[in-house]
Amino acid sequence: METKHNTQTVTSADGTTIAFERIGQGPALILVDGAMCHRASGPARPLAQELADSFTVYTYDRRGRGESGHTASYAPEHELEDLAALIEEAGAPVLLYGISSGAALALAAVQSGLAVSRLAVYEPPFIVDDTRPPIPTDYTERIQEFLATGRPGKAIGYFMRKGVNLPGAMVAMMRFMPGWSGMKEVARTLPYDAAFVTDFERGRPLPEGQWDSIKVPTLVADGAKSPAWIRNGATDLARVLPHAERRTLPGQTHMVKPQALAPVLKGFFR
């Protein structure tokens, strides 16, 4: 049976329209997507379906993606303002979950003082040791150059190779997959994600005190089958957070199955 998606909108502080939908009943829980994902293309909707029996779940299109608006200039603060508008709509305080670079955005949101009572993050892409190469020093600049010269496919390829650390052959194959054109449409938002993660992708342990202002209980989760580098990043994040609980999901990778993740989130958020 096909689920009907009722899109609603909120207006962010700079006037940008942010599209969202909500399902379920219970405490408000907002899901934050990672790079290039949005409601129609990513893990949020399937996860929301699994959580809707326990929470009022909000999924939204981050600015520049899906049905949300965007502006010519970007600042990370705008994404925090987007979340603030959604929290006001949902009714503060909310529960907050972020995956991948969306996890870094969720951390920044709580750090900035947004009204969040509990936070859960899954595999923020932090590189904290030598188990993989760090991102290049000109990583963001290279992506911006590809985008500015009308080469979104090059930007995606560079992100997949240098950011995600996928093999070149796998990245080359992606160009022939059905979702490639959709990825090119949202490639312009790659610098948005970079703004939240690049400081923590240099191959060094996470800085002490970076998130000391996060006083809420925080779940840091990863998948047992994920690469060592991203699992080590999760472990280091749990080390520096003041009130962290660490969980590893058996059999899961970065593409975590909603049926495996939902019970863990329900147990933590209740």
Side-chain angles (χ1 to χ4, degrees):
M1 181 177 177
E2 185 177 352
T3 302
K4 185 177 180 180
H5 304 292
N6 295 313
T7 299
Q8 301 177 65
T9 62
V10 292
T11 303
S12 193
D14 70 344
T16 300
T17 298
I18 302 299
F20 75 94
E21 61 195 52
R22 62 182 149 208
I23 62 170
Q25 192 169 16
L29 167 57
I30 298 175
L31 308 183
V32 185
D33 272 321
M36 295 190 293
C37 293
H38 51 95
R39 289 178 299 147
S41 178
R45 269 181 179 163
L47 179 58
Q49 292 285 344
E50 295 292 325
L51 295 168
D53 62 346
S54 302
F55 307 97
T56 301
V57 189
Y58 290 75
T59 55
Y60 76 107
D61 294 336
R62 289 173 57 183
R63 62 172 53 212
R65 315 175 191 198
E67 297 180 74
S68 286
H70 65 100
T71 54
S73 61
Y74 173 80
E77 293 77 14
H78 292 327
E79 293 223 60
L80 304 182
E81 292 165 354
D82 300 345
L83 267 173
L86 198 56
I87 290 171
E88 183 177 0
E89 170 71 23
V94 301
L95 307 167
L96 188 64
Y97 164 78
I99 183 171
S100 196
S101 54
L105 169 53
L107 286 164
V110 181
Q111 185 182 29
S112 74
L114 294 188
V116 174
S117 58
R118 280 183 170 251
L119 169 67
V121 295
Y122 187 86
E123 295 195 354
F126 298 157
I127 306 170
V128 300
D129 55 26
D130 61 358
T131 48
R132 60 152 286 183
I135 61 165
T137 56
D138 61 348
Y139 173 79
T140 302
E141 289 76 10
R142 289 292 304 280
I143 288 177
Q144 290 173 330
E145 177 188 351
F146 290 134
L147 295 172
T149 53
R151 295 179 288 171
K154 285 282 189 181
I156 297 169
Y158 188 78
F159 160 71
M160 292 295 181
R161 287 287 290 119
K162 302 299 184 180
V164 184
N165 200 41
L166 292 181
M170 185 179 295
V171 175
M173 288 289 293
M174 293 178 69
R175 297 175 180 273
F176 303 100
M177 297 175 66
W180 182 253
S181 60
M183 292 171 68
K184 289 172 67 176
E185 290 177 3
V186 294
R188 66 186 174 199
T189 62
L190 284 171
Y192 302 4
D193 294 276
F196 288 98
V197 299
T198 52
D199 285 348
F200 313 114
E201 297 183 320
R202 307 298 184 184
R204 300 186 297 266
L206 297 171
E208 302 283 349
Q210 174 68 37
W211 293 284
D212 278 0
S213 63
I214 297 180
K215 305 299 185 184
V216 301
T218 304
L219 174 68
V220 181
D222 67 353
K225 290 189 174 182
S226 289
W229 70 267
I230 204 164
R231 298 197 61 211
N232 293 350
T235 297
D236 204 42
L237 176 61
R239 175 185 66 84
V240 300
L241 284 173
H243 305 287
E245 175 184 329
R246 183 80 169 81
R247 288 288 300 272
T248 294
L249 279 59
Q252 297 304 303
T253 66
H254 198 60
M255 307 294 289
V256 59
K257 291 181 170 58
Q259 297 84 355
L261 178 59
V264 175
L265 294 181
K266 288 178 182 179
F268 176 71
F269 283 138
R270 279 177 173 163

